[in-house]
Amino acid sequence: MRLIRKLFSCAALTFAAAPLSAQVLTLDAARSRALARQPSITALELNARAMAEAASADGALPDPRLKIGLLNLPAPNFPTAPWEDMTQFVISYEQMLPGGDKRRLRESRSLAEAAQAQAEAESQRQLIQRDVALAWLDAWQAQAAERSVRELAAEFGRAVELAQIGVASGRGQQAEVFAARQMQSQATDRRMELAAQAERARAMLRRWVPDAGSFELPAELPPWREPPPLAALAEGLDQHPLHAMNLRALGVAEADVALAREAISPDKTFEIGYAARQGNRSDMVMMQMTFELPLFRERKQDRLLESKLKLAERAREQRADHLRQLRAELDAVWAEWRITGERLDNFARGVLPSARGRLDTLLLAQASGRAELAQVLEARRQLIEAQLQEIALKSGHAKARAGIEYFEHPAEGRK
């Protein structure tokens, strides 16, 4: 039975070999390509620039008005009646002047909205960094698992051939052939299931990297640096890009409050005009100033101010709630990263060495006639199952690390 041991060894070497034909898409490359070709970020940045451009217009004076008309036309036989001496052709210029500091406050509010839109773009960039990592890791896990089970199915196929040779030579039993075929069929079904998962994972990755299907994924995960301490990450949550969007929303609400306070300052309208008259009567010049009178503040301006104050308080409460949400997510992903790391250590120290030792022991026992082929195949299947669990744990550990990275300051280095 030395031939079986050689076949298993060759299969293990084949599994370890990396594909050479296709170009490899690393995690960093996937992130870079996703950010470089992401329409959602471009749309948000354009929105921020549009609001910033509109700020100066919001702070400018309203457009003036030019008035042209006739005054004191004689009513009888209008419009054929001749003009009288008091009839006037009037042209005037009218300009509205916002009261108080309304112009500056309106410009400040528009700039606050632009800052909120820019913060939204930065938070979207941070979200995409994380989501691309999760999609890439899903695809990597499905590919690695499918490759492992594909090799297992091939091994079971070679075991069927060996069992048939043993039956033909009179040294084996037909039951071993059926056992090997059953193992091969189960492994093939599992491989097809994992292949379907790999296709779905690739499709999700193409959401961020449209040409991801033309790349091969690396055989091993990239190395990840140790994350900063949990306490340091928690202290930096207030500066997180996603939380900055809530902070900018509070700035918009406070700008609305300032505008509502200024609503009691009456707007003024200045008008100057020239009236031309016929006959020997003198032409006339007109100048007048119009004031708005906020006589009913308790029914209008005060209620508007109270409404804006409540909206600003709502923005503060939403900001505090979002900070709690971020802290809960950080604690959860940190716990996942820590526990998954401990499980990986346990697999490396105990589970995998035990599974490999059991397989090696059964191979030696089969070579001396003290173990059946079915026992060897089952031990091999259990080893592959343990390796699949290790692949899932590696992917889960990397996902948790990507989740922690999401909470790190964007200016810090990554892996």
Side-chain angles (χ1 to χ4, degrees):
M1 294 299 174
R2 294 178 180 175
L3 180 59
I4 296 179
R5 297 180 63 184
K6 291 182 179 179
L7 288 172
F8 284 143
S9 300
C10 291
L13 291 174
T14 303
F15 170 69
L20 300 176
S21 57
Q23 188 177 357
V24 175
L25 179 66
T26 64
L27 176 56
D28 285 340
R31 281 172 159 171
S32 298
R33 297 174 75 88
L35 291 176
R37 308 178 183 183
Q38 191 47 241
S40 62
I41 294 179
T42 303
L44 290 172
E45 290 177 343
L46 287 172
N47 186 39
R49 289 199 292 269
M51 290 181 177
E53 289 291 337
S56 60
D58 291 333
L61 282 171
D63 289 338
R65 293 179 178 180
L66 180 65
K67 294 182 179 180
I68 300 176
L70 294 173
L71 297 179
N72 302 324
L73 287 172
N77 300 321
F78 177 82
T80 58
W83 288 12
E84 297 182 357
D85 291 343
M86 60 188 311
T87 300
Q88 306 169 32
F89 174 78
V90 180
I91 181 170
S92 66
Y93 175 89
E94 180 182 285
Q95 176 66 62
M96 196 272 281
L97 304 173
D101 207 14
K102 293 178 182 177
R103 290 171 54 194
R104 184 188 64 81
L105 291 174
R106 286 168 183 164
E107 183 177 6
S108 298
R109 187 191 184 283
S110 296
L111 291 175
E113 281 190 326
Q116 182 183 2
Q118 185 60 43
E120 186 178 0
E122 292 301 323
S123 67
Q124 182 71 8
R125 187 182 302 275
Q126 194 85 345
L127 281 169
I128 289 174
Q129 292 267 18
R130 183 189 64 179
D131 292 346
V132 169
L134 297 180
W136 187 93
L137 289 167
D138 280 338
W140 178 89
Q141 177 184 345
Q143 174 183 285
E146 192 271 337
R147 186 189 303 122
S148 180
V149 175
R150 183 173 64 244
E151 294 298 330
L152 178 63
E155 290 179 22
F156 286 158
R158 290 188 286 270
V160 170
E161 297 176 0
L162 291 174
Q164 290 174 339
I165 293 174
V167 171
S169 62
R171 295 191 303 272
Q173 300 178 4
Q174 188 65 32
E176 293 182 338
V177 177
F178 289 118
R181 284 178 179 171
Q182 181 183 7
M183 293 287 189
Q184 181 187 23
S185 299
Q186 291 174 346
T188 301
D189 181 72
R190 183 71 181 279
R191 181 192 63 79
M192 290 188 291
E193 178 186 3
L194 291 171
Q197 292 179 10
E199 286 298 322
R200 289 195 294 270
R202 284 278 188 165
M204 295 304 297
L205 182 58
R206 285 196 292 271
R207 159 67 178 91
W208 305 111
V209 185
D211 57 349
S214 60
F215 293 91
E216 188 68 53
L217 298 183
E220 297 294 335
L221 288 175
W224 297 78
R225 63 177 175 83
E226 284 294 315
L230 178 60
L233 291 174
E235 289 178 2
L237 288 179
D238 196 54
Q239 303 300 322
H240 191 274
L242 194 61
H243 190 62
M245 189 169 57
N246 287 267
L247 182 61
R248 300 297 182 268
L250 178 59
V252 174
E254 290 175 344
D256 283 335
V257 170
L259 272 172
R261 293 185 189 279
E262 201 69 13
I264 61 174
S265 299
D267 295 338
K268 301 175 285 294
T269 302
F270 174 75
E271 183 176 4
I272 182 171
Y274 185 85
R277 306 174 70 185
Q278 288 189 344
N280 296 324
R281 295 184 178 270
S282 300
D283 294 343
M284 294 185 176
V285 177
M286 175 189 65
M287 291 181 291
Q288 64 179 1
M289 183 75 75
T290 305
F291 296 87
E292 291 185 355
L293 299 178
L295 298 178
F296 307 101
R297 287 180 51 181
E298 67 279 359
R299 286 189 288 177
K300 184 178 179 182
Q301 284 85 1
D302 291 349
R303 290 193 176 186
L304 176 63
L305 176 59
E306 188 64 24
S307 171
K308 298 304 181 182
L309 286 171
K310 284 181 170 34
L311 290 177
E313 186 63 24
R314 183 194 67 171
R316 292 188 187 94
E317 294 297 330
Q318 288 177 335
R319 179 170 176 262
D321 180 70
H322 186 258
L323 196 59
R324 289 185 182 182
Q325 177 185 344
L326 287 179
R327 180 56 196 265
E329 291 177 1
L330 173 60
D331 290 342
V333 75
W334 184 275
E336 179 70 19
W337 174 78
R338 178 180 56 80
I339 295 172
T340 308
E342 293 174 356
R343 292 183 64 191
L344 275 173
D345 291 339
N346 179 56
F347 260 74
R349 292 194 307 266
V351 177
L352 289 176
S354 298
R356 291 192 183 97
R358 180 170 182 268
L359 176 60
D360 293 339
T361 301
L362 286 173
L363 285 172
L364 292 174
Q366 187 190 30
S368 59
R370 292 182 288 108
E372 301 292 334
L373 176 62
Q375 294 178 286
V376 176
L377 296 178
E378 176 61 21
R380 181 58 178 163
R381 187 192 67 79
Q382 291 180 0
L383 176 59
I384 291 297
E385 288 294 336
Q387 291 174 344
L388 291 179
Q389 292 181 36
E390 184 188 34
I391 289 173
L393 285 174
K394 286 182 176 179
S395 177
H397 194 246
K399 287 179 182 178
R401 182 62 187 90
I404 294 174
E405 185 182 76
Y406 170 70
F407 292 99
E408 297 179 38
H409 194 278
E412 294 182 5
R414 296 213 173 264
K415 290 186 288 298

